[in-house]
Amino acid sequence: LQKLIHLLQATDDPLIQEQVLITLSNSAAFSVNQDIIRNLDGLSVIGGMLSNCLPKVKEKALNALNNLSMNIKNQEEIKVFITQVCRTVESAPLDSDVQLAGLRLLTNMSVTSDYHQKMINSIPCFLHLLSEGTERTQIQVLKVLVNLSANPAMTRHLLRAQV
C-alpha cells in the first residue's frame, strides 16, 4: 500500500493513476487496509486526485474515497473534500460516472449528521438532478436527500431550496 501511494504521488501518467486508484479502492474493502491507507497519509494523496482534470482519474479517486469512507476515522479526514466533491457533482456532465461516484461518496458521508452543513449549498443542485437525471442518478440523489432529511437542522434548508 505504501508503494502504491508513493507511485500515485510520483506519476503523471493517467493510466497508472487509474490503476493505482482502482487497486487502492479494492484494498479498502478490508478494514485493516482502511486504517493503513489513512496512517500512510493516503487519504490526502487520493483526495489530491480530485483536482485532476481527467474524468476517469477523478472518478477512480471518488470511488476509492467512497470505499475508504466506510471508516469513521477516515470520514474525519475525508470531510475536507466534501465541498470539492459537491462542486464536482455540480459541474460534472449529467448522469456521468464522475457525478454518480461523487453522489455515492456524499451518500456515505451524509449517513451521520456530522457533515450535513458542508452540503447545504448543493441542495438546489441535488433537487435539479432529481428532476433532470436518469433513474440511476435520481436514486443516488435520493439517498443523499433522505440522509439530509433525517437531520431536523436541515429541514429549513431543504424546504427553502430554490429549484
Side-chain angles (χ1 to χ4, degrees):
L1 292 173
Q2 185 176 30
K3 290 183 189 289
L4 287 170
I5 292 167
H6 286 306
L7 178 59
L8 191 57
Q9 287 177 301
T11 187
D12 289 330
D13 185 329
L15 293 176
I16 293 173
Q17 290 172 337
E18 275 186 67
Q19 290 305 308
V20 169
L21 287 165
I22 290 169
T23 304
L24 289 170
S25 182
N26 291 340
S27 298
F30 303 98
S31 57
V32 66
N33 289 342
Q34 293 172 0
D35 293 332
I36 292 170
I37 292 169
R38 181 185 65 253
N39 292 334
L40 292 171
D41 198 33
L43 296 173
S44 64
V45 174
I46 295 168
M49 295 280 107
L50 295 178
S51 58
N52 193 300
C53 58
L54 297 174
K56 282 291 183 192
V57 173
K58 194 177 291 196
E59 175 200 351
K60 302 305 187 261
L62 288 164
N63 288 338
L65 288 174
N66 182 46
N67 288 349
L68 289 160
S69 73
M70 303 306 281
N71 177 309
I72 297 296
K73 287 184 180 177
N74 286 353
Q75 282 189 2
E76 292 171 13
E77 290 192 29
I78 293 171
K79 72 180 178 189
V80 301
F81 301 111
I82 291 176
T83 304
Q84 185 176 5
V85 173
C86 287
R87 282 195 310 262
T88 297
V89 167
E90 292 176 27
S91 64
L94 183 64
D95 304 318
S96 65
D97 290 336
V98 170
Q99 191 173 64
L100 289 167
L103 288 168
R104 283 191 295 271
L105 175 55
L106 292 175
T107 299
N108 282 350
M109 294 299 292
S110 64
V111 168
T112 66
S113 60
D114 297 345
Y115 312 113
H116 286 181
Q117 293 289 52
K118 294 181 173 287
M119 299 180 201
I120 287 173
N121 292 335
S122 294
I123 290 173
C125 170
F126 298 151
L127 294 171
H128 171 75
L129 294 176
L130 188 59
S131 66
E132 298 296 322
T134 62
E135 187 175 324
R136 280 180 8 158
T137 301
Q138 290 172 339
I139 289 169
Q140 288 305 315
V141 170
L142 281 172
K143 289 178 180 181
V144 175
L145 289 171
V146 165
N147 288 346
L148 295 177
S149 70
N151 179 356
M154 295 300 291
T155 302
R156 181 174 47 112
H157 301 290
L158 288 165
L159 294 176
R160 286 189 177 173
Q162 295 296 315
V163 183

